[in-house]
Amino acid sequence: MSWATDALDKVRTAAWREARKASTARKGAKDPIKGARRALLKNGGDLTAGQRAQLECVANTNETLWEAYKLKERLRMILRQTADEAAPLLRQWAADAFLSGIPGFVPLGEKIARRHFGILGTIRSGLSNARLEAVNNKIKTTIKIGYGYRDFDNLIALVMLKCGGLDLTLPGRQ
């Protein structure tokens, strides 16, 4: 899904720049394209009423951006299906994205067509890399907090302490 949201954000940025060059863009977040970033990237089912209104404004003002948003949401729905149901839908989505001619989605359609079997394997197994990304984020945060370590072993020890799952309670604390 992050590939699709990245492609959609690139389309949104290009649309905003184009509107700015044509002098149809308004300043700051009042611009319907620039102000709709969160609504465009958010899960369609979690939108607030204001965000739905922003999307409606985008639908009325920029057809390319609206088509890109619909492609992203269609991919989100495909990835929620079972692997057997998703296989033909994913192939069709990749073809539609490639044929759309939308700059961010043409390479995405090619990428998904190339990695079709891997994506279906991920859907079939139900596994994701979210846990790995969470641990990676903890390690990066630990490194930032330390502002450098005298010895690499000290960094490893602190990472093991934070990510190891030990519950250390100090005496007198709960």
Side-chain angles (χ1 to χ4, degrees):
M1 238 3 265
S2 69
W3 294 341
T5 55
D6 289 345
L8 179 62
D9 198 38
K10 287 177 185 171
V11 171
R12 182 198 61 82
T13 303
W16 183 74
R17 286 183 181 146
E18 186 179 302
R20 219 174 62 191
K21 284 181 185 175
S23 300
T24 57
R26 289 184 254 163
K27 289 263 186 193
K30 292 181 181 178
D31 182 69
I33 295 172
K34 186 169 184 166
R37 180 176 192 268
R38 181 159 288 165
L40 286 166
L41 300 181
K42 196 172 183 182
N43 185 351
D46 298 334
L47 294 171
T48 64
Q51 289 169 336
R52 283 194 188 92
Q54 285 178 325
L55 285 180
E56 191 174 317
C57 185
V58 166
N60 295 331
T61 57
N62 194 307
E63 185 178 329
T64 305
L65 186 56
W66 181 244
E67 286 300 317
Y69 173 76
K70 289 193 304 187
L71 279 170
K72 179 201 72 128
E73 285 301 314
R74 210 169 104 208
L75 181 61
R76 182 185 306 276
M77 298 323 286
I78 291 169
L79 295 176
R80 289 184 180 157
Q81 307 294 321
T82 64
D84 294 332
E85 295 169 345
L89 297 173
L90 195 59
R91 275 193 295 274
Q92 183 62 48
W93 187 93
D96 291 346
F98 181 76
L99 295 173
S100 71
I102 300 171
F105 281 83
V106 170
L108 179 60
E110 292 172 344
K111 183 188 249 185
I112 287 182
R114 275 193 321 267
R115 299 178 182 200
H116 180 261
F117 293 110
I119 293 169
L120 290 176
T122 302
I123 293 171
R124 200 171 281 113
S125 67
L127 299 175
S128 75
N129 65 344
R131 191 165 292 196
L132 177 68
E133 291 294 332
V135 171
N136 193 21
N137 191 29
K138 274 187 181 180
I139 292 170
K140 286 180 181 180
T141 305
T142 304
I143 291 170
K144 285 180 186 175
I145 289 172
Y147 296 110
Y149 296 90
R150 288 180 184 229
D151 188 8
F152 187 69
D153 292 334
N154 295 343
L155 171 64
I156 297 296
L158 192 56
V159 167
M160 294 297 284
L161 186 63
K162 283 199 166 208
C163 299
L166 289 176
D167 184 26
L168 300 176
T169 50
L170 296 175
R173 295 191 185 179
Q174 298 174 357

